[in-house]
Amino acid sequence: MSSDQFKEFKVSVIVPIYNEEGNISPLMDRLVPVLQQYHDYEILFVDDGSRDHTLETIKNSKESNSHIHYISFARNFGHQNALKAGLDHVTGDCVITMDGDLQHPPELIPQFIEKWLEGYDVVYTIRREDTRLSFLKRLTSRFFYRLINRLSGIHIPEGAADFRLLDRNVADVLKDIREYHLFYRGLTPWLGFHQIGITYLPEERFSGQTKYSLRKMIAFALTGITSFSLKPLRISVLFGVFFALLAFIYGGYALYMKFFTQSTVPGWASVLISVLFIGGIQLIVLGIIGEYIGKLFMESKHRPHYIIKEKNVAIPPRFVTQEKQEPLK
Ligand code: UDP
Ligand code: MG
């Protein structure tokens, strides 16, 4: 995108938020001055079923700034679905997604835009190793990216977060991906286009607690792996072949001992151990298959990614696909 073509462009910022009442005002205080230097902008808060005063706080800040919009979900649908709702509703020439807890510094946005004007379609961020993050978080995060890169065909940069800029074309492609289990961290590099990464040091969460517990992170990692790869199924087959071969060799050995020597292979303990071991492997493999079948099941139902309780922004007419245009509140 050449800079001449887009001197007067509109920047859209999508912020998914879940129980972040203490973070809205501090975020606005830093985000709005950055965005005001551009011709036009909008900030779309996607309230992911917060149970605190997040929505009221947004409505209050909306009073003083007409560029602020919101969508509020009927319940918690998860971070990725909140991003999807954002993509469905924004109209900017470039779209920025960022967390609402100030871990993603708004001051980085001018760098995003610079790169975009240079012609990049996607500007993603790579989190620099942050010693202030908990040891567990760093360890799980590193393990997660190594594992997913090894198992899937795509390359997700280590420490990639949902803090990025998308060109309008890319945002349109992404929003039309309708798979039930969304994983934008993998989908964005998978798309191709002209991409560039910039590194940044994440800040500490301003207020409140992380919404990603260990359990949620494991579920997220599983989604990431099974969304992009059939390798776990293939590894199961290899497992099967390996153990069948092992049993065959051991059987041959037992027969040999019985017929050609004076002794036999002793003991029920070895039988029990191998039965338990093979049984365990079988259950794991069944679990892996179950995971994929479960995904098919969810996919086949075609349920919506999110349900909106209220919003003050309509799906832009030129972007309406299957959903009906709804009246504004
Ligand atoms: N979030 C959300 N829905 C969820 C969980 C998180 O919209 O179910 C939002 C959250 O409010 C924040 C962003 O997603 O703006 C990232 O979440 P968080 O900061 O808890 O994750 P972490 O930075 O600890 O990985
Ligand atoms: Mg955070």
Side-chain angles (χ1 to χ4, degrees), residues 20 99-104 137 205 209-212:
E20 308 278 12
D99 287 359
D101 57 357
L102 283 163
Q103 283 193 297
H104 297 162
K137 185 108 193 172
R205 178 172 251 286
Q209 299 232 318
T210 175
K211 310 299 177 311
Y212 274 98

Side-chain angles (χ1 to χ4, degrees), residues 169-180:
N169 286 334
V170 181
D172 281 346
V173 175
L174 265 189
K175 101 183 153 44
D176 286 339
I177 294 181
R178 292 180 170 274
E179 62 193 69
Y180 186 76

Side-chain angles (χ1 to χ4, degrees), residues 21-184:
E21 58 183 359
N23 289 323
I24 308 289
S25 303
L27 175 66
M28 300 303 294
D29 291 346
R30 282 175 57 183
L31 186 57
V32 171
V34 172
L35 293 175
Q36 267 168 346
Q37 57 181 302
Y38 301 109
H39 174 72
D40 191 11
Y41 72 91
E42 68 181 336
I43 303 172
L44 176 58
F45 285 105
V46 186
D47 167 30
D48 188 9
S50 299
R51 282 186 296 265
D52 60 0
H53 294 103
T54 298
L55 188 59
E56 285 81 358
T57 320
I58 296 167
K59 283 182 179 168
N60 285 342
S61 38
K62 202 198 143 317
E63 296 298 312
S64 57
N65 186 337
S66 61
H67 297 271
I68 297 174
H69 305 300
Y70 66 86
I71 295 172
S72 183
F73 286 176
R75 65 166 170 85
N76 181 251
F77 279 89
H79 184 194
Q80 301 294 300
N81 289 325
L83 287 175
K84 166 97 173 80
L87 288 173
D88 286 341
H89 289 80
V90 291
T91 55
D93 301 296
C94 65
V95 179
I96 293 164
T97 57
M98 65 190 293
D99 287 359
D101 57 357
L102 283 163
Q103 283 193 297
H104 297 162
E107 291 75 18
L108 225 62
I109 289 177
Q111 282 188 47
F112 283 7
I113 306 238
E114 234 169 75
K115 291 283 173 210
W116 173 60
L117 291 175
E118 275 174 31
Y120 289 98
D121 301 302
V122 176
V123 187
Y124 60 87
T125 53
I126 304 163
R127 193 171 54 210
R128 243 183 282 158
E129 184 75 344
D130 184 6
T131 43
R132 288 167 310 181
L133 282 177
S134 79
F135 178 70
L136 185 72
K137 185 108 193 172
R138 275 185 288 152
L139 195 75
T140 47
S141 154
R142 187 177 305 171
F143 175 72
F144 165 64
Y145 287 108
R146 296 248 162 105
L147 188 71
I148 192 162
N149 282 334
R150 181 143 306 180
L151 288 178
S152 63
I154 44 166
H155 177 74
I156 306 176
E158 225 171 275
D162 285 310
F163 182 29
R164 63 175 82 82
L165 175 145
L166 309 168
D167 181 65
R168 166 50 52 202
N169 286 334
V170 181
D172 281 346
V173 175
L174 265 189
K175 101 183 153 44
D176 286 339
I177 294 181
R178 292 180 170 274
E179 62 193 69
Y180 186 76
H181 293 96
L182 289 165
F183 187 68
Y184 284 119

